[in-house]
């Protein structure tokens, strides 16, 4: 196993539509998934998509979590050839970052609830429903499989901040707006 280097914004692989995997039980795919797990742990991320490690394949890892605080203790789900669909029309704004976009955080609208279908590493069908943070992570990661970065989902680029300034951004930019 190995920690893989993460492609950063500007790398063309992040803008490409990734290819379906088909059979996830081959040696190459098993190795890739093992390396993605290790890379996600090392980076302390909430999710990771194969294009972020320069493999243009429809594989994503997502931690099925409700709260950011405990998120990194929850092992990720591995979804191969996933489909993610909204459940209902309700959307909410929430803060996102991306391992491929160092230091930036931005407010992104996402569906509050989604349904997902995929196969797992053993090739078995998996499906489930997600809401809140987990639904957000799934939508963020599946976007990576379609060449979409969270910045491209932001309706208003004023709601973008560097991490070092996050507290001030939330208190002085986001909070006053949400009271309007
Ligand atoms: Ni990302």
């Amino acid at each position: 196993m190995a920690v893989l280097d993460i492609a950063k914004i500007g790398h063309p692989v992040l803008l490409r539509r990734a290819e379906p995997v088909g059979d996830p039980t081959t040696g190459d795919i098993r190795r890739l998934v093992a390396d993605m797990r290790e890379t996600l742990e090392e980076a302390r991320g909430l999710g990771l998509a194969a294009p972020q490690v320069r493999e243009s394949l429809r594989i994503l890892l997502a931690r099925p979590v409700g709260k950011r605080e405990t998120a990194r203790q929850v092992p990720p789900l591995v979804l191969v050839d996933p489909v993610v669909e909204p459940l209902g029309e309700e959307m909410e704004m929430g803060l996102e970052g991306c391992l491929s976009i160092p230091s930036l955080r931005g407010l992104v609208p996402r569906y509050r609830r989604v349904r997902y279908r995929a196969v797992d590493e053993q090739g078995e069908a998996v499906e489930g429903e997600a809401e809140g943070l987990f639904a957000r992570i799934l939508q963020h990661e599946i976007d990576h499989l379609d060449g979409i970065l969270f910045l491209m989902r932001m309706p208003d680029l004023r709601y973008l901040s560097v991490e070092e300034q996050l507290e001030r951004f939330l208190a002085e930019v986001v909070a006053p707006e949400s009271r309007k």
Side-chain angles (χ1 to χ4, degrees):
M1 300 219 295
V3 172
L4 304 171
D5 189 41
I6 293 175
K8 303 299 188 312
I9 185 168
H11 195 299
V13 73
L14 296 174
L15 299 176
R16 213 174 286 152
R17 188 179 159 81
E19 296 295 324
V21 173
D23 179 7
T25 63
T26 65
D28 283 354
I29 298 297
R30 281 180 185 276
R31 258 189 306 279
L32 172 60
V33 169
D35 289 348
M36 285 176 66
R37 272 185 207 282
E38 206 175 321
T39 305
L40 181 66
E41 288 303 325
E42 171 81 14
R44 302 179 52 76
L46 298 179
L48 184 69
Q52 292 182 277
V53 293
R54 300 178 168 77
E55 293 287 348
S56 198
L57 290 167
R58 303 189 77 79
I59 302 172
L60 67 81
L61 273 56
R63 297 195 200 269
V65 292
K67 288 200 297 279
R68 276 170 216 275
E69 297 70 42
T70 51
R72 285 166 188 89
Q73 296 143 28
V74 179
L77 282 188
V78 175
L79 301 181
V80 176
D81 294 339
V83 175
V84 174
E85 293 164 336
L87 278 173
E89 286 172 7
E90 193 187 341
M91 298 190 83
E92 58 192 8
M93 292 295 266
L95 205 57
E96 291 187 24
C98 180
L99 296 173
S100 295
I101 308 173
S103 149
L104 289 180
R105 296 286 183 275
L107 283 184
V108 185
R110 299 286 186 188
Y111 288 102
R112 213 183 75 72
R113 297 179 65 225
V114 298
R115 186 201 331 263
Y116 62 91
R117 278 181 288 120
V119 294
D120 65 14
E121 295 167 270
Q122 283 78 40
E124 302 291 333
V126 286
E127 58 177 14
E129 293 181 5
E131 60 175 54
L133 181 57
F134 181 35
R136 177 171 295 278
I137 297 167
L138 286 171
Q139 290 168 85
H140 177 116
E141 298 310 328
I142 199 141
D143 267 357
H144 275 302
L145 307 185
D146 294 325
I148 298 166
L149 299 169
F150 83 80
L151 296 173
M152 295 152 76
R153 292 285 191 199
M154 288 184 63
D156 191 338
L157 290 173
R158 285 179 303 175
Y159 297 120
L160 192 61
S161 176
V162 290
E163 209 178 333
E164 304 91 272
Q165 218 164 247
L166 198 59
E167 240 171 87
R168 184 173 191 179
F169 164 73
L170 292 173
E172 296 180 28
V173 179
V174 176
E177 272 302 311
S178 62
R179 280 198 293 268
K180 273 185 190 167

